[in-house]
């Protein structure tokens, strides 16, 4: 079995819109992804969604890309829904984050829901706050450091 990895790192300048993939290392500060609309001093600095969730939506005849559901980090090989709040993840060699929320309420006027007819992010996305800043990029390995606050 392969290690879980980052498929894509995505950014948007406005909330509620699709994000676009970035090439190369992306700076993660203590407030989240530098330049992203969701960065800030709160509990949802970074959002993660599995490529497997995107693939399920493509099974309905939709053509979708990483970032289309407004996730910052598209993952592969990690069952995000099994990670309880408090789980700590390391991505690459430096960035660590803590899961703070599983799923969300989809707000009215969501561009993603309008474009694709459904949004998987409220059901299968997770959110995290930055513990250790650094850089991350596509291909980085994701390691579960501790699950739900346990060592």
């Amino acid at each position: 079995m392969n290690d879980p990895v980052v498929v894509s790192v995505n950014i948007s300048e406005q909330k509620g819109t699709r994000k676009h993939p970035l090439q190369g290392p992306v700076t993660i500060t203590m407030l989240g992804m530098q330049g992203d609309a969701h960065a800030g001093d709160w509990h949802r600095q970074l959002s993660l969604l599995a490529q497997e969730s995107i693939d399920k939506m493509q099974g309905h005849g939709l053509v979708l890309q990483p970032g289309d559901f407004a996730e910052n980090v598209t993952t592969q090989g990690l069952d995000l829904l099994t990670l309880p709040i408090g789980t700590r993840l390391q991505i690459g060699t430096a960035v660590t984050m803590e899961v703070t929320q599983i799923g969300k309420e989809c707000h009215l006027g969501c561009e993603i829901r309008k474009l694709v007819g459904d949004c998987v992010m409220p059901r299968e996305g997770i959110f995290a706050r930055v513990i250790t800043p650094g850089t991350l990029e596509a291909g980085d390995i994701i390691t579960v450091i501790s699950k739900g606050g346990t060592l």
Side-chain angles (χ1 to χ4, degrees), residues 61-107:
L62 303 170
V63 177
L64 300 165
Q65 304 297 319
D68 281 353
F69 291 102
E71 76 277 7
N72 291 118
V73 180
T74 311
T75 66
Q76 189 165 39
L78 180 62
D79 187 354
L80 298 176
L81 295 178
T82 66
L83 304 177
I85 291 173
T87 297
R88 292 209 174 182
L89 303 173
Q90 179 174 333
I91 299 183
T93 59
V95 176
T96 57
M97 62 186 72
E98 181 178 84
V99 176
T100 56
Q101 185 175 324
I102 299 165
K104 69 172 190 139
E105 186 175 327
C106 195
H107 58 82

Side-chain angles (χ1 to χ4, degrees), residues 132-151:
T132 308
T135 61
L136 58 88
E137 64 184 308
D140 280 349
I141 293 175
I142 304 168
T143 305
V144 176
I145 299 172
S146 63
K147 206 164 185 181
T150 61
L151 295 177

Side-chain angles (χ1 to χ4, degrees), residues 105-123:
E105 186 175 327
C106 195
H107 58 82
L108 293 174
C110 172
E111 178 183 339
I112 295 94
R113 184 176 296 281
K114 287 179 187 174
L115 290 170
V116 297
D118 187 20
C119 184
V120 71
M121 193 67 183
R123 297 184 302 275

